Amino acid sequence: MTIRDSDFPQNTRTPTSIERRPLGTPVFYKDLNINFTPGVNDLVVYNDRAIWHKIFNVLGILVGEEHFEPSWGSDLPLRLFEPVTDRTAYLVYSDSLIAIDRFMETEVSLIYSQSSVTPLDDGEGYNVVLAFEQKKTRVVGTLNFELLRNRRQG
């Protein structure tokens, strides 16, 4: 399973935590950086990026993979083995909403009317739009990413 996001670069160096969180900025959420670069002070991310990281973690981990928290995750990785159809897009949508509601209920409120999942034209995955409001800051954000099947090369 691959998550490709235009708002959240996967293969570029992220700014250091000092650059991301200026002094005096209140910290409401923090998480470990999944794109951590050894030797760079970017192990922890704050606020918006922490929310994004947690969403990606919840959606990208199959239920049962975490030994210490077997209920953590979603069924989303399994959906990528099914044919890419409107029906499966609805299942991806409902699996995403259920997982986020279950594991992020203290951080975000999903905006269902502005969230959607649509199959990509090439049949290799889905375009996912998740709109949410951060509960502590009341900031509304939208996370738009592509959920892609992994194909073996060669």
Side-chain angles (χ1 to χ4, degrees):
M1 182 170 95
T2 303
I3 296 175
R4 185 173 61 204
D5 177 29
S6 59
D7 297 330
F8 188 7
Q10 298 287 323
N11 297 320
T12 60
R13 182 191 162 281
T14 57
T16 66
S17 59
I18 295 169
E19 293 169 339
R20 259 182 275 127
R21 188 179 63 87
L23 293 176
T25 302
V27 175
F28 294 104
Y29 311 102
K30 64 182 178 178
D31 197 3
L32 295 176
N33 186 356
I34 57 176
N35 295 324
F36 172 68
T37 306
V40 178
N41 184 21
D42 65 348
L43 181 60
V44 179
V45 291
Y46 303 94
N47 295 336
D48 292 346
R49 292 183 74 79
I51 296 288
W52 294 352
H53 279 272
K54 190 167 181 183
I55 289 173
F56 288 141
N57 286 337
V58 168
L59 297 181
I61 293 175
L62 182 62
V63 173
E65 278 185 341
E66 292 292 321
H67 298 292
F68 297 108
E69 185 67 51
S71 64
W72 173 264
S74 71
D75 290 331
L76 202 58
L78 296 176
R79 301 293 180 210
L80 294 176
F81 292 104
E82 298 178 18
V84 177
T85 63
D86 289 333
R87 177 185 173 283
T88 312
Y90 174 76
L91 294 173
V92 168
Y93 175 77
S94 62
D95 286 345
S96 301
L97 300 184
I98 289 168
I100 292 169
D101 278 340
R102 182 173 181 193
F103 296 108
M104 298 188 67
E105 66 182 340
T106 60
E107 291 98 349
V108 298
S109 295
L110 287 167
I111 304 170
Y112 301 108
S113 62
Q114 296 175 19
S115 300
S116 64
V117 175
T118 54
L120 295 174
D121 292 336
D122 62 4
E124 291 300 316
Y126 304 92
N127 183 50
V128 180
V129 177
L130 297 173
F132 57 88
E133 178 183 46
Q134 295 178 23
K135 289 190 174 180
K136 291 182 181 175
T137 63
R138 296 295 192 209
V139 172
V140 174
T142 302
L143 192 57
N144 186 358
F145 59 93
E146 290 180 349
L147 187 63
L148 303 172
R149 295 177 178 204
N150 282 342
R151 295 266 181 180
R152 290 189 179 182
Q153 299 296 324

